[in-house]
Amino acid sequence: MGTTTQNVAALARGYPYTIQLQVRPEVGGDVSPFPEGCTLIADVAIYAGGTAVATLSTDDGTIARIGDDTIELRIPATATERLTNTTAQIDVVRSDTSPDQWLGLQLSLPVVQPITAARVQS
C-alpha cells in the first residue's frame, strides 16, 4: 500500500469519533484487504510508539467491516478524552492470521480541544 493524504474532520477530545477507511488492493492483486470473517485490532495512541489510549477491535464492535475493502473505526469518547496531543496515531492489524499481519495502514488524525465540553450521557 502506498501513502495517501486526505483531509478529514478533526477528532474532538471527549467526543466519539467515527471514520470509514477504504483500501484499494494492490494493482493486479485479487486479495481483499478485509475478507469476510477477518478479525482486526487497532491501537489509538498520542504518538507512534506511545502507550495506547484505546484498542479498537472487530470483537467489541469498535471496528466494523463494511466490505472487502472498507472498515469503520469507532473511537469512543472515553478514548478521545485521553488524547493530549494535536494528533492521534492509529494503525490496523489483522489478528485472525498466524502470525498477526500488520496491514501497513496508518492514520494520523488531527485532534482539537472543543469549546463546548461533552456532557455525561445517561
Side-chain angles (χ1 to χ4, degrees), residues 4 9 14-15 17 23 59 64 68 75 78 80-82 85 96 101 103 106 122:
T4 301
Y15 287 89
Y17 185 83
V23 178
D59 290 339
D68 287 345
I75 306 171
T78 54
T80 67
E81 69 188 8
R82 296 174 51 202
N85 203 355
D96 61 309
Q101 180 185 6
L103 298 177
Q106 286 185 278
S122 54

Side-chain angles (χ1 to χ4, degrees), residues 86-103:
T86 58
T87 60
Q89 307 299 317
I90 304 169
D91 66 357
V92 180
V93 170
R94 273 193 61 189
S95 57
D96 61 309
T97 59
S98 182
D100 290 353
Q101 180 185 6
W102 184 73
L103 298 177

Side-chain angles (χ1 to χ4, degrees), residues 11-17 44 46 53-54 75-85 88 111-114 117-121:
L11 186 155
R13 280 187 198 99
Y15 287 89
Y17 185 83
V44 180
I46 296 170
V53 299
I75 306 171
T78 54
T80 67
E81 69 188 8
R82 296 174 51 202
L83 294 169
T84 57
N85 203 355
V111 177
V112 297
Q113 177 63 51
R119 304 302 194 263
V120 175
Q121 300 294 316

